[in-house]
Amino acid sequence: MKPGIHPRYQRATVQCACGNNFVTRSTVPVIHVEVCGKCHPYFTGRQKLMDTAGRVERFRQKYRGGAGGAGAAGAAGAAGAAGADKAAG
């Protein structure tokens, strides 16, 4: 290993959004995470729905209403119209 080019490997505190903290080693002193072993659904056995910037709600609104709604057919129609404009222009 060349001296002076590698980052320092030090003790790091990992802080989870649930409030859990633990110590490990890393090149950065503090690590912030959203999910850890104490709150992850796989380890806890209960499901926790995580909505990232309203994506789950947008998905539900988009696909609400069944087959006759403005779901995939409406989106495909709008994309087809945009493609027709490009071909004409």
Side-chain angles (χ1 to χ4, degrees):
M1 288 190 353
K2 288 185 177 182
I5 64 168
H6 299 285
R8 204 177 104 196
Y9 195 59
Q10 59 193 354
R11 289 174 56 108
T13 302
V14 180
Q15 299 173 349
C16 181
C18 72
N20 185 32
N21 294 324
F22 58 93
V23 177
T24 186
R25 293 181 53 117
S26 178
T27 58
V28 293
V30 179
I31 302 169
H32 297 279
V33 296
E34 294 180 13
V35 180
C36 68
K38 295 277 186 187
C39 62
H40 193 280
Y42 182 78
F43 299 113
T44 61
R46 60 176 218 252
Q47 187 174 3
K48 182 168 99 175
L49 185 64
M50 290 192 206
D51 188 6
T52 308
R55 292 182 186 195
V56 173
E57 186 59 34
R58 280 187 289 174
F59 177 83
R60 287 183 179 158
Q61 287 177 355
K62 183 176 180 180
Y63 293 105
R64 177 180 35 176
D85 291 340
K86 288 181 185 176

